[in-house]
C-alpha cells in the first residue's frame, strides 16, 4: 500500500511540474491551471500524509 501511495505522490508532483511548464508556454489558461495546481498539491500532500500514517502504524506494531 505504501508503494502505491508513493507512486501517487510522485505522479502528482510530476503532473504538477508538467502543468507549470504548460502554463508557462500558454498551452493552458489560468482557468484550468489554477484549480489544477490546488488539486495536484492536495493529492500529493494527502498521499504523503497517508504514507506517514501507515509508516507510524507499522512501527507501533513491532
Amino acid at each position: 500500500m505504501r508503494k502505491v501511495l508513493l507512486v501517487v505522490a510522485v505522479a502528482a508532483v510530476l503532473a504538477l511540474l508538467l502543468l507549470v511548464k504548460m502554463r508557462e508556454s500558454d498551452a493552458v489558461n489560468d482557468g484550468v491551471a489554477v484549480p489544477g495546481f490546488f488539486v495536484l498539491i492536495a493529492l500529493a500532500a494527502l498521499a504523503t500524509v497517508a504514507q506517514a500514517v501507515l509508516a507510524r502504524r507499522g512501527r507501533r506494531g513491532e
Side-chain angles (χ1 to χ4, degrees), residues 6-25:
L6 178 63
V7 169
V8 169
V10 169
V13 170
L14 291 175
L16 181 62
L17 292 174
L18 179 66
L19 186 60
V20 167
K21 194 69 168 170
M22 289 174 67
R23 178 61 199 112
E24 215 173 75
S25 66

Side-chain angles (χ1 to χ4, degrees), residues 20-50:
V20 167
K21 194 69 168 170
M22 289 174 67
R23 178 61 199 112
E24 215 173 75
S25 66
D26 289 331
V28 175
N29 64 10
D30 285 341
V32 173
V34 173
F37 291 146
F38 288 115
V39 168
L40 291 171
I41 290 170
L43 182 63
L46 286 173
T48 304
V49 168

Side-chain angles (χ1 to χ4, degrees), residues 3-5 14 16 18 32 36 40 43 45 51 53 57-59:
K3 287 184 182 182
V4 172
L5 291 171
L14 291 175
L16 181 62
L18 179 66
V32 173
L40 291 171
L43 182 63
Q51 285 176 353
V53 168
R57 278 190 192 164
R59 268 192 253 138

